[in-house]
């Protein structure tokens, strides 16, 4: 059985990753499974989805949303980190069955990218940087229910540190459909060495 390909979308909150993932599903001539951080966070037990939880509360062990200097940060405890590891391996398992996969995530820590590099060995991976200007990000954030001001700003540069992409898209200046077409074209014409191959070879500090 041939393996499915993997598209990994990385960008800050409200950059348009989920919208892009759905557009990729719509544009692709073959089935594509969407796997996202939001799906796995929503699947966690409620007490581990922290909202400014303190040290003695279970919310600090999962994914804790914390206000810091007027912005909002995401902090992962031991349960949250294990959930993220499970998500990456779920994506690998789907692709191993022959299903193409698009993953949308925020690579907030160097270890997150390192784990992807390890888990996705043997797969064709198209690494995509999803960008959007700050004004548009903040406007999107204000319009989205369940989002907190400053989350996108806090992660604006952090998510891209140490990354090297096969293709980058700007969701503020380009429609989701056109971004999806560009990503799929890059996936079909994935050049060697790919971004993941270069990162594994140590050409960039991960």
């Amino acid at each position: 059985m041939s393996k499915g390909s993997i598209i990994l979308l990385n960008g800050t909150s409200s950059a348009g990753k989920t919208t892009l993932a759905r557009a990729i599903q719509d544009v692709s001539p073959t089935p594509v499974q969407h796997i996202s951080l939001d799906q796995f966070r929503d699947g966690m037990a409620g007490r581990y989805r922290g909202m400014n939880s303190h040290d003695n509360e279970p919310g600090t062990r999962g994914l804790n949303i914390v206000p810091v200097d007027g912005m909002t940060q995401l902090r992962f405890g031991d349960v949250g980190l294990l959930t993220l590891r499970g998500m990456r391996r779920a994506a690998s398992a789907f692709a191993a069955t022959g299903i193409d996969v698009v993953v949308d995530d925020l690579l907030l820590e160097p270890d997150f990218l390192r784990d992807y590099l390890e888990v996705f060995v043997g797969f064709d991976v198209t690494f995509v940087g999803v960008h959007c200007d700050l004004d548009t990000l903040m406007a999107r954030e204000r319009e989205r229910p369940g989002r907190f001001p400053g989350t996108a700003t806090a992660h604006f540069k952090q998510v891209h540190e140490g990354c090297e992409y096969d293709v980058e898209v700007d969701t503020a200046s380009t429609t989701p459909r056109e971004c999806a077409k560009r990503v799929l074209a890059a996936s079909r014409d994935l050049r060697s060495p790919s971004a993941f191959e270069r990162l594994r070879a140590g050409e960039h500090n991960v």
Side-chain angles (χ1 to χ4, degrees):
M1 181 183 297
S2 61
K3 294 180 178 179
S5 64
I6 299 172
I7 295 171
L8 175 58
L9 309 178
N10 179 46
T12 189
S13 175
S14 298
K17 300 185 300 297
T18 298
T19 300
L20 174 55
R22 291 170 179 164
I24 289 170
Q25 289 180 309
D26 290 341
V27 171
S28 174
T30 58
V32 179
Q33 179 71 29
H34 178 209
I35 293 176
S36 74
L37 171 61
D38 285 348
Q39 293 167 350
F40 278 75
R41 180 183 184 274
D42 291 345
M44 295 170 66
R47 65 185 179 276
Y48 295 111
R49 299 197 297 270
M51 191 71 65
N52 198 22
S53 297
H54 300 291
D55 290 344
N56 60 342
E57 297 175 326
T60 61
R61 298 187 61 198
L63 192 160
N64 195 18
I65 299 173
V66 182
V68 178
D69 297 330
M71 294 188 291
T72 304
Q73 292 187 356
L74 304 180
R75 294 180 178 174
F76 297 92
D78 61 317
V79 173
L81 293 173
L82 287 173
T83 301
L84 292 178
R85 285 177 60 83
M87 179 185 75
R88 298 173 198 126
R89 284 151 181 80
S92 175
F94 265 102
T97 68
I99 299 174
D100 293 337
V101 174
V102 57
V103 183
D104 80 69
D105 200 355
L106 296 87
L107 302 185
L108 296 174
E109 299 180 16
D111 281 347
F112 295 175
L113 177 54
R114 291 189 188 102
D115 197 36
Y116 271 121
L117 291 172
E118 179 180 335
V119 171
F120 287 172
V121 167
F123 294 94
D124 289 334
V125 180
T126 305
F127 195 20
V128 184
V130 183
H131 303 281
C132 183
D133 65 89
L134 273 175
D135 288 341
T136 303
L137 283 173
M138 290 187 290
R140 290 175 179 174
E141 203 169 52
R142 287 192 295 269
E143 295 172 359
R144 296 179 69 183
R147 300 289 163 165
F148 300 90
T151 305
T153 303
H155 304 144
F156 185 69
K157 294 181 179 180
Q158 180 183 355
V159 296
H160 298 294
E161 290 178 358
C163 294
E164 170 77 9
Y165 297 111
D166 295 298
V167 60
E168 300 182 64
V169 295
D170 185 335
T171 64
S173 62
T174 312
T175 66
R177 187 174 182 85
E178 289 305 313
C179 286
K181 288 180 178 179
R182 185 176 176 190
V183 170
L184 286 169
S187 179
R188 288 192 297 268
D189 189 29
L190 191 61
R191 307 238 177 128
S192 184
S194 67
F196 262 37
E197 289 169 339
R198 293 193 299 272
L199 287 164
R200 289 192 190 101
E203 293 182 13
H204 297 267
N205 293 323
V206 181

